[in-house]
């Protein structure tokens, strides 16, 4: 489904009619890739606590076995941010 169709479906389900001023419609926030990595690191920290680094290492290992290089890089970026959140060097 295209993004515009998803947005239309969202607003229809939310009961918001067409023609309503954009000032009256809440704006969906879009995260940059950098912001998304920080949010993902925070989510992993909250969900896994002290075992978060182990969880990330397992994900990277599974992605390496499947040959998903983009996935490996994404999780390495998350790992760096997790380290910063846990008191390591800041980005």
């Amino acid at each position: 489904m295209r993004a515009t169709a998803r947005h239309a479906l969202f607003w229809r389900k939310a009961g918001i009619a067409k023609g309503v001023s954009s000032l009256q419609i809440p704006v969906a926030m879009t995260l940059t890739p950098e912001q998304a990595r920080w949010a993902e690191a925070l989510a992993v920290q909250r969900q896994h606590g002290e075992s978060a680094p182990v969880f990330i290492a397992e994900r990277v290992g599974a992605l390496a076995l499947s040959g998903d290089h983009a996935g490996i890089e994404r999780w390495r970026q998350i790992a760096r941010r997790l380290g910063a959140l846990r008191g390591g060097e800041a980005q």
Side-chain angles (χ1 to χ4, degrees):
M1 183 180 291
R2 290 189 359 242
T4 53
R6 281 195 309 266
H7 290 132
L9 179 61
F10 168 78
W11 293 120
R12 195 167 46 251
K13 285 185 175 182
I16 299 172
K18 277 189 171 182
V20 176
S21 167
S22 62
L23 295 175
Q24 297 170 330
I25 297 174
V27 177
M29 189 171 107
T30 302
L31 297 177
T32 66
E34 174 73 12
Q35 292 168 325
R37 295 304 85 76
W38 280 105
E40 292 158 352
L42 184 57
V44 169
Q45 176 62 34
R46 287 181 176 169
Q47 291 174 6
H48 298 280
E50 291 299 315
S51 63
V54 173
F55 172 78
I56 291 176
E58 289 172 346
R59 289 294 307 141
V60 170
L63 292 165
L65 289 174
S66 69
D68 184 349
H69 301 289
I72 292 168
E73 180 54 31
R74 181 180 190 141
W75 279 96
R76 285 182 176 166
Q77 292 171 4
I78 294 168
R80 285 192 292 274
R81 285 154 184 84
L82 178 67
L85 287 173
R86 299 183 75 175
E89 287 189 23
Q91 289 280 302

